[in-house]
Amino acid sequence: MSSEGSDSTEARAVAVKSTICKACHNVCPMHADIEAGRVLRVMPVKGHPAHMGFSCKRGREQPQIFASSARLLQSLKRNPDGSYSPIDIEQAMDEIAARLQAIMTAHGPRAVAAYFGTYCLNNPISSSVSYAFMAALRSPMVFTLLSIDCPGRLIAGALHGRWLGRGPTIEDAKVVLLV
């Protein structure tokens, strides 16, 4: 093979970037292999003291999820027949605002509720905007993982107060059970 010209099998520059996985609330530290602006692979950080080089399958498959042909890349509107067609984001927001206003006019702000789950709570911007949106609607109907899945934690804190001392850490544990 000649050393002149370029070979299609020539190694491309792959950059390794430190990041975190946002597939759940664990925010595992990850290394991402990036080539030409595209994430090729994400892997856990070996030897990390909290995660010990572990990451779940869902986190490691993020590049395939982002590259999926089924990924939603534009706003869609459901048609009367159940099919979907593209809609400009400005038009979509106007239509959604009009429908929300009609619901609140007919039934009051409590008719609009929001549930903020793992993805929203992991992102401080999403969380802040979501809570501000519900406050602007004057709806108190805001639910989270704690209010739906384990309300006892909120109730116990309200009735008995909070422990202000340091909580247990992974370093304190003699045994850890992961389910």
Side-chain angles (χ1 to χ4, degrees):
M1 185 171 3
S2 168
S3 61
E4 295 175 23
S6 80
D7 182 1
S8 63
T9 61
E10 185 176 292
R12 293 183 176 151
V14 176
V16 178
K17 302 284 186 175
S18 294
T19 186
I20 58 171
C21 176
K22 297 192 77 168
C24 75
H25 61 279
N26 289 318
V27 292
C28 295
M30 304 290 271
H31 286 146
D33 294 346
I34 301 172
E35 179 183 62
R38 189 172 145 249
V39 179
L40 302 176
R41 176 176 85 144
V42 290
M43 295 302 292
V45 174
K46 300 293 182 202
H48 188 276
H51 299 272
M52 306 301 267
F54 174 80
S55 69
C56 71
K57 181 176 175 59
R58 181 173 58 169
R60 292 187 307 273
E61 289 187 356
Q62 291 301 306
Q64 290 84 3
I65 292 169
F66 292 134
S68 170
S69 61
R71 183 175 175 207
L72 183 62
L73 298 175
Q74 64 187 28
S75 299
L76 298 176
K77 179 179 180 177
R78 188 187 329 241
N79 299 314
D81 67 357
S83 65
Y84 294 92
S85 58
I87 184 173
D88 179 69
I89 189 65
E90 296 295 329
Q91 180 184 349
M93 291 191 313
D94 289 344
E95 289 183 21
I96 292 166
R99 290 181 71 185
L100 275 174
Q101 187 60 56
I103 290 168
M104 292 191 318
T105 298
H107 306 286
R110 290 179 63 91
V112 179
Y115 175 81
F116 306 139
T118 302
Y119 286 108
C120 184
L121 296 176
N122 282 346
N123 186 329
I125 295 169
S126 293
S127 233
S128 299
V129 169
S130 299
Y131 282 108
F133 176 75
M134 292 304 290
L137 295 181
R138 299 193 191 288
S139 175
M141 306 302 288
V142 177
F143 305 97
T144 68
L145 299 167
L146 288 176
S147 62
I148 298 294
D149 298 335
C150 48
R153 292 182 68 186
L154 297 175
I155 294 166
L159 293 174
H160 303 292
R162 303 237 182 254
W163 170 250
L164 299 178
R166 180 178 77 89
T169 66
I170 194 77
E171 290 84 14
D172 296 332
K174 290 189 169 84
V175 175
V176 175
L177 173 64
L178 300 173
V179 179

